[in-house]
Amino acid sequence: MKKPETVRRPKWEGILWLGVGGIGGFVLLGGIGGFLGGLLGLIFIESAEPGAGLVDGVRNGFTFCGTAGAIAGIVWSRGRGFNPQTMRKLKRFHSIKRGYWSFLILGAAFAISLVGPLVVGSRALVVIHDGKLHLPALPFSAKNSGQDFGLAQDKDEQEYTYEVDYRELKAHFEDTGKGFMLMPFIPYNPNENDFREGVTHPASPNWQQRHLLGTDRTGRDVLARLFYGFRITMLFALVFALMVYLIGVVVGCVMGYFGGWTDLLGQRAVEVWQNIPFLYMVIIIVAAVSDLPFNLPIWFRISILLSIMVLFSWTSMTYYMRTSVFREKARDYVAAAQLLGAGPSRIIFNHLLPNTISTLVTFLPFTVAMAITSITALDYLNFGLPKPTPSWGELLQQGVANLQAPWIVLSAFVAMVTVLTLVTFIGEAIREAFDPKKFTTYE
Amino acid sequence: MKRMIWKSHLLLGTLLLLAQGCNKKELKRPEGAGSPSNQNQSPISMDEEEVRKLARVFAQELAAELARQGTSLATTTNEDKGTLASPALRLNSAPEVLDFYNSNPEHFTITNPSNLPENLKWESGADLEEFASPNAKRGGTFMEYMPDFPRTLRLLGPDGNGSFRSYILDYNAVSLVDTHPENDGYYPGLAKEWAVDKSNNTVYFRLDPEAKYSDGNPVKATDYFFCLYFMRSPHIQAPWYNDFYSTEKYPNITIFDEHTISITYYKSKPDLLEKCAAIRPIPEHFYKELDEQWVEDYQFEFEPTTGPYEVLKENVRKGESITLTRVPNWWADKKRFFRYRYNPDAIKVTVVRELAKVFELFTKGELDWHGLGLPEFWYDKLPDEHPLVANGHVEKLQFYNDVPRPTWALRLNSSHPILSNKDIRLGLNHAMNFEVVINEVFRGDYDRMRSVADGYGPRSHPKIRAREFSVEKAREYFALAGYTNTGEDGILQTPEGKRLSFSFSTGYKRLEDVMTVLKEEARKAGVDLQIEMLESTSAFKKVSEKKHEIHLVALNVSVEMYPRFWEPYHSDNAYKEPKEERYDEQGHLRSGLTPKPVTNNFTLLADKEVDDLIEKYRVSEDLGEITDLSHKLIEKIHDYGAYIPGWVRPWYRVGQWRWVKYPKGYNVKESREPFEFHIHWIDTEEKKRILDNVASGQKSGEPAINIFDQHKLD
């Protein structure tokens, strides 16, 4: 192996590694921790409400183990680098403009969506009232009721003891001149119903009211739902892809490396598992969850859905890993490592994995695309994300059911096509970049 | 990887399949109809039948022997002996059924016509007018849909009261006597004549000798006996029926001859005739076995009906559709009040799971009608300018009816540890903003429901109104229950950090908007509602097994003189434990009781005082007292706060293709649904003409938007 000093290392390489290590460790250990935490919580945490132990256990397990995993991942990845071949491939990816730009656009959109409430949200960014500064859009900031800002009653003459509607407050400030406020660009959150006098919903796009893509049947802003739908879909798809790869790679490597009975039995087990109909399992489990004697918070229900999808999707990864490990393990460097006394785990993770992973990387974008379509389809069928989580499937469903309001279906459709196209461009570029036959082109 | 992509394709494929359609229009004709259907039985069931016959012969001999000895004997009294020669009266029942009759001799009496009381005033509804139109034409297939395939074809037992039952029982079977849907009278059904004897709580019926079941067997007087045997059996797993038809309620049925019976009710209620006419003949010859297996054995067996439409095995496509066909030479075809009704040759009910697709199928002409009750349909999807309406292919109708209203309301499960607290329940009453739902989602077309029993005239409470939405009051009540802190997400908490959060479920996909608006509004009052949208059948299962917390559902109510309180509010239907174990010495509900499944007490209201009032109400014979008790009960239930009234709709709105014809005035006053009384008909030639016009882009006539408000109340 070449020594690291011989290659000039760009900064992004280190950052990429830290990212990979951190996120990978977080998801892997977080997943395991969540599962164990759930079991422990169910048994040991005594709580006032039934089921709360389970939920707490999962949450704590996930947070603690995930953090530990992220730290471990970062430590592990510090100072690591790609081997020169991979570096060449990455540089080639950079040179494929279409894929590279798609990557940047999608990455930027995703990054923006992660700080969503600053762009799309009902909470003001800055409020100055009575000489005090409030930053309600930030997490953990104090949530002030209408009365805190001197509004005794809301527009329906209800006592203003709940969190103030900042749009209403802004109008109040403009009337009285007592205070200053800066709202996000789209001043709506994805769940609130914007009912106004004389407007029937779905209402068409309206710049004055800042409903840039109109509203849906219950007066929710379509753009806000689209935006947060994008965030949840992307998060879902990425975590899904990571989990599927982690499980698939480990199982595939083990089968390939040990071969023989392990491989034979493992393969049969995978085949059996694969033949369990996925959609029915989702339907059954969704029904079972609704029959539980206690309520699960929305994030927990989403995690259940994610786990089911992962459980029934990791199998296909094992085939690719298994075959490439079969091929690689016959090579001399593996024999050399074995002679030097390296154990199986060292050989698998340090020697085989770096040499086989490139095939898998090329699949990644397509897995993400698959996850996006699956979750949208499930949503459309009412088995997806719990209501009223903003989701594209739900928007499509509403849009199809309300063709007289084309802005709903068009928004969802265009967004979906754009994202899937970008992902496909990235995927093609990666495939080209990682292709051992350098001269293949995809046009 | 291919497999993964394939999987996502599978999902999309499923979507496409759903988006396709029910395009199978062919229809199987009844085979060998009209003859008793014992021909196609397997050899095994033949053997069973043989055994059964032997057993019956034995039982008859035994009964005769007992009779000779003059011991416990219901079937004959000493002086009647020998007059019971007619076959309808020979109790061809299975031994266990005979035993049942014999062990309850005072409840099942066979005597002779000379024992009929004199001076009975026989009525036959002859002075009432028919409500169907003589212009009606026979023929055609009426196309309807259902959102889910029925879980059973049984008429009762688990899942038996699903919405499909109305096709095969409620809107189909003929009763002894029916209430006239336009005025106060009654018209004859299975009984040609009837005589009410108020002093003895008894109604006498002269049965129509022509009455037959759809399998060709005649309706026998003994089938009314069998009804009670059947309804009282634990094997039907239907506690509501067990009670409704209990010995206490129906202490006696007497057969005078094969076409004369009397039914006695336990109280001389103001609507005694209706109560007695609720006994329907159950075809004894059809139910071979009534044991623990009954629920499974008869899951998809269609009970022969006295009504005009039957379900033949070959017309049931599991998961897809059920087609009801007209019984050939139906016995009541030419009778007054039944002629000119039930005009289509068949009714095809197709499963369409996707609500959006239902409307598309309707606009394609594959469904004959579509409800326009929701404002989005009336105003947006089928506006007056819609080409189908403007070109006169489809007609829009609004019909004001005058009936008790379905109870669209939220049911709080008061056995839930937090919802058992009255303050929480009252807080939730004030946290539900139905005003904004009615104004925004329903565009002001509906009215707020007032109480648990609206539309019963003087029996409804004159003053009680649903609690209004009020953040202030809701928060006050929640504070009383200890929810004093506000969490980071704006939801109220106890100082220990317990959030005020509930599951909020429904089985009506089309009401998703109502659910989301209520959820968002409730946040203002500091309540978190977790929406669960379920399939209609699983939602009903959930709520009838009492696994819900807050559930939005409507129960259809019968057109009756006074509301029913026992089934939805008596503790008998809330908890399994016997009554004396439900309450402690002070009359408070004990904790740790087991909710009772398969009953309609969705609020799990259990209150000793309410129980006592309901019991008094049930036995009361005086209309004035009934009215008083009804008001008291409505108040009590209102105070308890587990029922949050939703909305009522004093009309129904329909879009229907112009080939669906109707009598003048559209429908009868007491119709709850447009096709309940089957007085419409299909003009098949018109259908062809209209569909041709649609295809060629021609008009079929002038646009028709008709509002029938002859029965509108102010």
Side-chain angles (χ1 to χ4, degrees), chain A residues 285-298:
Chain A
I285 291 174
V286 165
V289 165
S290 85
D291 257 10
L292 287 177
F294 50 87
N295 288 322
L296 298 170
I298 284 195

Side-chain angles (χ1 to χ4, degrees), chain A residues 48-49 140-141 143 154 156 158-159 161-162 191-193 195-196 199-202 217-218 220 240 244-245 274 278-279 290-291 293 295-298 301 312-313 316-317 319-320 363 366-367 370 373-374 377-378 380-382 387-388 394 397 401-402 404, chain B residues 1-5 7-8 10-12 14-15 18 354 356 360 376 380-381 417-418 433 436 440-441 443 469-472 475 487-489 498-499 501-503 509 512-514 516-517 519-521 523-525 530-535 542 545 547 549:
Chain A
E49 292 166 66
F140 307 113
S141 64
K143 305 290 177 274
D154 70 1
D156 303 322
Q158 295 290 335
E159 198 173 70
T161 42
Y162 58 96
N191 292 329
E192 64 183 333
N193 317 103
F195 294 135
R196 295 164 192 249
V199 180
T200 53
H201 297 289
R217 271 202 314 249
T218 49
R220 298 179 295 197
F240 170 82
V244 163
Y245 274 67
Q274 220 165 20
F278 158 74
L279 195 58
S290 85
D291 257 10
N295 288 322
L296 298 170
I298 284 195
R301 289 198 264 167
F312 289 94
S313 307
S316 51
M317 274 304 76
Y319 290 98
Y320 302 102
F363 287 135
F366 300 103
T367 311
M370 191 281 289
T373 33
S374 295
L378 279 176
Y380 190 92
L381 294 175
N382 272 327
K387 314 273 173 196
E394 193 258 357
Q397 192 188 37
N402 293 277
Q404 83 280 4
Chain B
M1 174 46 58
K2 257 186 193 151
R3 275 164 196 273
M4 297 172 84
I5 291 172
K7 216 177 266 172
S8 72
L10 183 81
L11 273 174
L12 286 172
T14 319
L15 285 183
L18 281 173
E354 190 70 3
E360 294 305 314
E376 59 173 289
D380 299 337
K381 291 196 179 158
I418 300 168
N433 197 345
V436 77
E440 297 293 340
V441 181
R443 301 197 194 176
F469 176 71
S470 161
V471 173
E472 186 187 352
R475 283 177 185 258
E488 148 76 12
D489 51 357
K498 217 154 106 185
R499 288 173 80 242
S501 168
F502 302 100
S503 107
K509 268 188 221 165
E512 193 184 321
D513 295 352
V514 175
T516 54
V517 171
K519 176 193 164 88
E520 282 303 305
E521 292 292 312
R523 283 182 60 86
K524 292 183 182 169
Q530 300 225 349
I531 296 178
E532 277 185 69
M533 303 298 297
L534 304 168
E535 292 295 308
K542 183 179 176 116
E545 285 174 6
K547 287 181 177 163
E549 290 179 8

Side-chain angles (χ1 to χ4, degrees), chain B residues 580-649:
Chain B
E580 55 277 14
E581 289 172 29
R582 283 176 217 145
Y583 301 103
D584 59 18
E585 292 77 33
Q586 284 88 42
H588 296 306
L589 195 67
R590 286 178 203 273
S591 56
L593 299 173
T594 331
K596 190 174 188 176
V598 207
T599 62
N600 285 350
N601 191 341
F602 299 152
T603 56
L604 283 114
L605 191 154
D607 182 284
K608 194 139 195 308
E609 246 180 290
V610 171
D611 281 359
D612 295 343
L613 282 173
I614 291 177
E615 280 153 28
K616 230 163 117 190
Y617 177 82
R618 289 183 101 190
V619 298
S620 174
E621 296 175 359
D622 174 47
L623 199 56
E625 192 190 23
I626 286 180
T627 308
D628 275 357
L629 286 169
S630 167
H631 291 178
K632 260 188 211 146
L633 277 165
I634 292 171
E635 266 167 53
K636 284 267 169 213
I637 296 163
H638 175 82
D639 291 344
Y640 192 80
Y643 176 100
I644 307 180
W647 60 89
V648 291
R649 211 174 56 176

Side-chain angles (χ1 to χ4, degrees), chain B residues 25-142:
Chain B
K25 274 198 215 122
E26 82 275 11
L27 175 69
K28 285 191 179 162
R29 289 278 140 209
E31 283 169 21
S35 59
S37 62
N38 293 343
Q39 322 153 339
N40 299 332
Q41 278 171 354
S42 64
I44 297 167
S45 64
M46 285 288 278
D47 289 348
E48 276 176 7
E49 190 57 24
E50 284 299 311
V51 173
R52 202 148 279 287
K53 252 184 211 158
L54 284 173
R56 270 180 204 154
V57 170
F58 172 74
Q60 280 160 23
E61 278 169 9
L62 183 75
E65 185 58 36
L66 284 170
R68 235 165 275 136
Q69 291 168 15
T71 49
S72 88
L73 200 53
T75 49
T76 52
T77 52
N78 286 336
E79 71 267 24
D80 302 335
K81 229 190 295 175
T83 59
L84 304 174
S86 73
L89 292 186
R90 195 166 291 147
L91 281 169
N92 267 343
S93 306
E96 64 272 18
V97 182
L98 277 180
D99 282 351
F100 181 78
Y101 298 155
N102 278 330
S103 60
N104 297 291
E106 68 280 16
H107 307 315
F108 299 96
T109 316
I110 296 185
T111 177
N112 63 19
S114 59
N115 290 342
L116 262 177
E118 283 162 26
N119 309 327
L120 283 176
K121 204 177 136 246
W122 291 94
E123 296 169 74
S124 64
D127 50 333
L128 293 174
E129 278 184 30
E130 287 179 57
F131 47 88
S133 163
N135 302 329
K137 284 188 198 167
R138 277 289 159 77
T141 300
F142 193 57

Side-chain angles (χ1 to χ4, degrees), chain B residues 77-339:
Chain B
T77 52
N78 286 336
E79 71 267 24
D80 302 335
K81 229 190 295 175
T83 59
L84 304 174
S86 73
L89 292 186
R90 195 166 291 147
L91 281 169
N92 267 343
S93 306
E96 64 272 18
V97 182
L98 277 180
D99 282 351
F100 181 78
Y101 298 155
N102 278 330
S103 60
N104 297 291
E106 68 280 16
H107 307 315
F108 299 96
T109 316
I110 296 185
T111 177
N112 63 19
S114 59
N115 290 342
L116 262 177
E118 283 162 26
N119 309 327
L120 283 176
K121 204 177 136 246
W122 291 94
E123 296 169 74
S124 64
D127 50 333
L128 293 174
E129 278 184 30
E130 287 179 57
F131 47 88
S133 163
N135 302 329
K137 284 188 198 167
R138 277 289 159 77
T141 300
F142 193 57
M143 309 291 283
E144 297 199 78
Y145 86 98
M146 50 190 164
D148 209 348
F149 196 78
R151 289 198 175 183
T152 179
L153 286 183
R154 279 182 279 103
L155 302 175
L156 37 74
D159 304 317
N161 56 349
S163 60
F164 191 75
R165 196 190 65 180
S166 61
Y167 286 101
I168 48 182
L169 178 70
D170 308 31
Y171 301 161
N172 189 39
V174 179
S175 314
L176 276 164
V177 171
D178 276 303
T179 50
H180 196 280
E182 292 268 62
N183 34 50
D184 290 338
Y186 298 90
Y187 65 85
L190 292 168
K192 278 200 306 194
E193 287 179 308
W194 61 93
V196 181
D197 180 2
K198 283 240 168 190
S199 55
N200 288 321
N201 313 339
T202 302
V203 181
Y204 299 85
F205 295 98
R206 287 231 168 96
L207 304 181
D208 192 324
E210 290 167 31
K212 276 196 194 105
Y213 292 109
S214 52
D215 61 359
N217 287 301
V219 178
K220 294 179 191 157
T222 49
D223 288 340
Y224 295 90
F225 271 14
F226 188 69
C227 172
L228 291 187
Y229 171 75
F230 185 84
M231 293 296 188
R232 289 172 192 174
S233 165
H235 303 314
I236 60 173
Q237 294 184 30
W240 186 88
Y241 289 88
N242 291 161
D243 170 83
F244 189 87
Y245 292 100
S246 62
T247 313
E248 293 76 47
K249 295 290 178 55
Y250 290 99
N252 179 273
I253 294 189
T254 302
I255 300 181
F256 294 91
D257 63 32
E258 63 206 270
H259 298 306
T260 313
I261 62 169
S262 75
I263 297 172
T264 305
Y265 196 58
Y266 74 129
K267 282 282 158 188
S268 179
K269 288 276 185 181
D271 54 348
L272 180 66
L273 176 57
E274 283 169 51
K275 297 291 179 213
C276 292
I279 304 263
R280 69 179 167 90
I282 292 186
E284 190 172 0
H285 62 274
F286 175 72
Y287 288 111
K288 298 185 192 75
E289 300 264 338
L290 182 54
D291 52 20
E292 298 80 21
Q293 285 297 308
W294 182 82
V295 166
E296 285 98 55
D297 288 351
Y298 287 89
Q299 187 77 358
F300 277 99
E301 298 292 325
F302 173 72
E303 179 189 302
T305 178
T306 51
Y309 290 107
E310 62 180 332
V311 174
L312 298 170
K313 273 239 155 66
E314 60 269 29
N315 291 334
V316 176
R317 289 162 178 259
K318 286 257 168 87
E320 282 179 35
S321 71
I322 295 181
T323 304
L324 298 106
T325 48
R326 209 163 191 286
V327 176
N329 305 318
W330 181 47
W331 67 272
D333 212 8
K334 300 277 181 318
K335 309 257 173 202
R336 275 192 84 209
F337 302 105
F338 290 97
R339 59 186 172 181

Side-chain angles (χ1 to χ4, degrees), chain B residues 362-602:
Chain B
F362 165 65
T363 56
K364 298 269 175 309
E366 292 189 26
L367 296 175
D368 284 339
W369 67 284
H370 194 284
L372 302 179
L374 287 179
E376 59 173 289
F377 284 106
W378 182 263
Y379 296 110
D380 299 337
K381 291 196 179 158
L382 195 67
D384 298 352
E385 307 80 49
H386 193 285
L388 287 176
V389 181
N391 290 327
H393 307 308
V394 165
E395 176 170 12
K396 283 172 77 176
L397 298 149
Q398 181 168 23
F399 182 83
Y400 283 83
N401 54 2
D402 184 13
V403 288
R405 307 295 173 197
T407 52
W408 285 108
L410 304 182
R411 269 82 175 179
L412 314 185
N413 181 343
S414 52
S415 73
H416 181 268
I418 300 168
L419 290 170
S420 60
N421 184 334
K422 187 175 168 185
D423 290 324
I424 296 280
R425 293 197 301 265
L426 295 185
L428 283 171
N429 271 270
H430 286 295
M432 295 296 174
N433 197 345
F434 276 105
E435 288 86 353
V436 77
V437 166
I438 288 169
N439 286 332
E440 297 293 340
V441 181
F442 298 140
R443 301 197 194 176
D445 288 354
Y446 298 0
D447 296 327
R448 179 86 200 257
M449 178 181 266
R450 296 168 175 184
S451 71
V452 287
D454 281 13
Y456 289 93
R459 256 65 65 197
S460 294
H461 200 286
K463 291 210 187 71
I464 294 253
R465 298 289 179 272
R467 293 181 179 86
E468 80 287 2
F469 176 71
S470 161
V471 173
E472 186 187 352
K473 287 184 187 165
R475 283 177 185 258
E476 263 169 36
Y477 279 119
F478 294 142
L480 284 178
Y483 290 84
T484 45
N485 300 3
T486 306
E488 148 76 12
D489 51 357
I491 300 303
L492 287 170
Q493 296 181 339
T494 58
E496 299 85 52
K498 217 154 106 185
R499 288 173 80 242
L500 191 56
S501 168
F502 302 100
S503 107
F504 184 42
S505 50
T506 192
Y508 301 89
K509 268 188 221 165
R510 65 198 152 94
L511 294 181
E512 193 184 321
D513 295 352
V514 175
M515 304 285 286
T516 54
V517 171
L518 285 177
K519 176 193 164 88
E520 282 303 305
E521 292 292 312
R523 283 182 60 86
K524 292 183 182 169
V527 189
D528 175 42
L529 300 177
Q530 300 225 349
I531 296 178
E532 277 185 69
M533 303 298 297
L534 304 168
E535 292 295 308
S536 53
T537 32
S538 51
F540 198 75
K541 208 168 177 61
K542 183 179 176 116
V543 72
S544 66
E545 285 174 6
K546 319 295 185 292
K547 287 181 177 163
H548 62 294
E549 290 179 8
I550 304 177
H551 193 85
L552 173 63
V553 65
L555 288 184
N556 218 349
V557 283
S558 334
V559 180
E560 283 178 316
M561 198 181 264
Y562 45 89
R564 298 183 189 183
F565 289 105
W566 181 79
E567 34 171 322
Y569 302 107
H570 194 280
S571 67
D572 279 357
N573 288 322
Y575 296 104
K576 275 184 179 167
E577 287 75 8
K579 197 175 172 196
E580 55 277 14
E581 289 172 29
R582 283 176 217 145
Y583 301 103
D584 59 18
E585 292 77 33
Q586 284 88 42
H588 296 306
L589 195 67
R590 286 178 203 273
S591 56
L593 299 173
T594 331
K596 190 174 188 176
V598 207
T599 62
N600 285 350
N601 191 341
F602 299 152

